[in-house]
Amino acid sequence: MVKVRFAPSPTGYLHVGNARAALVNFLAARAMGGTFLLRLDDTDHERGRPEYEQGIYDDLRWLGIEWDETARQSDRLARYAEVAEALKKAGRLYPCFENEDELAAKRNALIKRRLPPVYDRAALSMTPEQRASAEANGKTPYWRFKLSDGAVAWTDLVLGERTIRLPTVSDPVLIRADGTPLYTFTSVVDDADHGITHIIRGEDHVSNTAVQIDLFRAITRASLPKFAHLPLISGGEGEKLSKRIGSISLRSLRKDGIEPGAITAYLARLGTSKDPAPVPMAELIATFSFGDFSRSQPRFDATQLLALNRKLLHRLSFEEVHARLPEGATEAFWEAVKGNLELLTESRRWWEVVQGAFDAPAPAPEDMAVLKAALDVLPPGEFDQPAWKAWTLAISAATTAKGKALYQPLRLALTGEAHGPEMAPLLGLIGRAGIKARLERAIAAGEGPG
């Protein structure tokens, strides 16, 4: 049975990078008929916050990602201690006493000699008496895992064949001096105990994989999980993105009005051979394949995400969005404005326009003739497409204005905007009385006092 996990730390809110990892894990689990485990790596008590944990739940559900099982590392401290004792007895976990300054001096000395800054395992040479003396002098040991000799190789589901020689890697610290287990240790114990079959994560973890495979083999005889490392997203700093998006945290994207379906559709195909398209989650699951991912680094393109969001909005029905529209907004309003929206939040502005809550710029002198003619030939009935066409033809006949010289003064006077949705459906919502009042207000502003 396929089983994957997403293991965020509740020390902050989800951002695009870890949301992508969560999504790909979810899609893989559903595509292969497996189980999706949400595991909270919550052993960092100083930075962890309950609101961050709740934020993880809320953001995943908002994206449409549901999990089958949950676990938290803070509930498993006794298990980590048990495994640590077994590794100590096996001689694979050994105490070290060097402080940061001493370790830094060793690293610098190796670098000056143009050698890899690998830990020298000096602690393994300490006698029991030397260890007892160190502890008597107030030193508390931290614990390193003794790596095997040779190399570790695996076939990555995204990156292909990978080999890392363990002698080129420092023995990792698994237990701090205060007894706190570190991520490398807890993650491997959890993966072994929970029966994780596929580990899907960012490429920044590749260097850890050989260490984790060696540790996995030291604590269990179970089959190794398969690994898939996704190339990291470039352009991941907020200042490198469009100011309109502002940040790549999910909370900011949500606040800006990006639809969850646009985010999942975009992230699911980011870095793959498939172009992003506004497809539903079910289709993303049905078409998922590790083989689609490229080994090159994908770029987060805010413009492309906005374009995808726009396409998605255009497909949404009134029933799908009415709860998030301004109070009082009707289906006719949604149909009138949705084709012009990039973000759902922009609907507020157009609702204000329909309600008349806007300040139109004073018309230019050369536009006054168009506005006065528009008021003179204003048709008696309500507006629709034929009425709009007949009205503008009549204005043009009275003034000889055409094209931009005809339409721009009308749009500015009636909506306060130089661009926007088609005028006919908007005017149908504004109504004849509203149109008349706006034209009169614009003409008065153009004529000035007196």
Side-chain angles (χ1 to χ4, degrees):
M1 172 66 75
V2 168
K3 190 172 186 178
V4 305
R5 47 78 164 176
F6 174 56
S9 176
T11 54
Y13 294 114
L14 292 184
H15 53 74
V16 166
N18 47 30
R20 179 188 184 220
L23 177 62
V24 175
N25 272 280
F26 173 74
L27 295 176
R30 294 295 181 261
M32 295 186 286
T35 300
F36 179 51
L37 167 68
L38 174 60
R39 186 184 77 212
L40 292 178
D41 290 0
D42 61 344
T43 56
D44 188 341
H45 300 298
E46 291 185 4
R47 296 191 302 146
R49 297 286 186 275
E51 58 268 30
Y52 294 147
E53 179 179 334
Q54 187 60 49
I56 290 169
Y57 300 144
D58 294 342
D59 285 343
L60 291 179
R61 290 191 178 106
W62 179 65
L63 290 176
I65 296 175
E66 295 292 340
W67 51 96
D68 306 299
E69 298 178 9
T70 57
R72 59 174 66 243
Q73 290 189 333
S74 59
D75 294 335
R76 291 173 47 78
L77 298 180
R79 173 59 178 159
Y80 305 141
E82 177 187 359
V83 176
E85 286 303 313
L87 290 174
K88 291 176 185 179
K89 291 179 180 178
R92 299 298 297 275
L93 199 60
Y94 62 94
C96 301
F97 294 89
E98 299 97 336
N99 59 36
E100 284 298 323
D101 291 338
E102 291 168 335
L103 290 173
K106 288 185 177 185
R107 285 194 296 268
N108 292 334
L110 289 169
I111 291 172
K112 286 181 180 179
R113 294 167 58 192
R114 298 184 179 181
L115 296 173
V118 177
Y119 179 64
D120 59 8
R121 292 181 171 175
L124 282 174
S125 302
M126 294 178 70
T127 65
E129 292 76 19
Q130 288 173 323
R131 292 177 184 174
S133 177
E135 292 180 5
N137 289 327
K139 288 189 175 183
T140 303
Y142 60 92
W143 297 80
R144 289 182 184 269
F145 175 67
K146 183 181 178 182
L147 293 170
S148 304
D149 295 328
V152 169
W154 74 94
T155 302
D156 198 278
L157 297 176
V158 173
L159 302 179
E161 299 300 324
R162 285 290 182 270
T163 301
I164 294 179
R165 293 182 59 251
L166 292 176
T168 66
V169 182
S170 291
D171 289 346
V173 177
L174 299 190
I175 311 290
R176 293 190 181 99
D178 64 2
T180 305
L182 293 175
Y183 166 81
T184 297
F185 182 45
T186 58
S187 181
V188 173
V189 174
D190 290 342
D191 290 339
D193 287 356
H194 293 143
I196 301 302
T197 63
H198 293 68
I199 296 176
I200 307 164
R201 56 191 181 182
E203 191 177 12
D204 53 329
H205 288 283
V206 166
S207 60
N208 302 328
T209 298
V211 169
Q212 292 177 330
I213 288 175
D214 196 43
L215 178 56
F216 191 96
R217 287 170 172 161
I219 65 177
T220 181
R221 295 182 179 178
S223 299
L224 277 173
K226 296 180 179 179
F227 291 88
H229 291 94
L230 307 174
L232 299 181
I233 303 170
S234 66
E237 297 297 327
E239 67 270 19
K240 295 182 181 179
L241 301 179
S242 164
K243 291 182 179 179
R244 188 170 190 181
I245 295 297
S247 170
I248 56 170
S249 72
L250 287 187
R251 299 211 150 215
S252 65
L253 293 179
R254 185 175 185 174
K255 183 178 179 181
D256 286 341
I258 300 293
E259 297 297 300
I263 296 174
T264 55
Y266 183 70
L267 293 181
R269 293 185 172 179
L270 186 63
T272 75
S273 56
K274 298 176 180 176
D275 292 329
V279 298
M281 188 74 82
E283 185 173 340
L284 295 176
I285 292 170
T287 58
F288 177 82
S289 172
F290 286 112
D292 291 333
F293 287 94
S294 169
R295 299 184 186 184
S296 59
Q297 192 174 45
R299 186 173 69 88
F300 183 89
D301 188 336
T303 302
Q304 192 174 40
L305 177 59
L306 278 171
L308 192 59
N309 197 70
R310 181 171 60 247
K311 292 178 181 178
L312 184 66
L313 285 176
H314 298 177
R315 297 183 180 189
L316 294 180
S317 67
F318 177 67
E319 288 73 20
E320 292 173 297
V321 299
H322 76 276
R324 294 184 290 144
L325 292 176
E327 185 176 355
T330 62
E331 184 171 3
F333 166 77
W334 174 244
E335 293 300 325
V337 303
K338 71 177 184 180
N340 194 250
L341 303 179
E342 286 188 329
L343 303 168
L344 188 62
T345 48
E346 294 171 348
S347 64
R348 299 187 197 120
R349 170 59 182 163
W350 290 109
W351 183 245
E352 292 171 355
V353 167
V354 168
Q355 298 298 304
F358 68 93
D359 295 321
E366 61 269 22
D367 294 337
M368 290 293 287
V370 168
L371 299 181
K372 289 180 178 180
L375 186 59
D376 290 340
V377 299
L378 186 64
E382 294 302 320
F383 267 80
D384 55 16
Q385 187 65 41
W388 161 253
K389 185 176 181 180
W391 187 39
T392 52
L393 286 174
I395 298 169
S396 179
T399 61
T400 70
K402 295 181 180 179
K404 185 176 181 180
L406 169 66
Y407 296 110
Q408 192 78 330
L410 292 174
R411 182 176 285 278
L412 287 170
L414 296 172
T415 71
E417 301 287 347
H419 306 282
E422 290 186 19
M423 289 295 290
L426 272 185
L427 296 183
L429 295 167
I430 295 169
R432 188 182 188 280
I435 296 169
K436 182 175 182 294
R438 295 178 193 200
L439 288 173
E440 290 173 342
R441 182 174 63 180
I443 291 169
E447 290 177 340

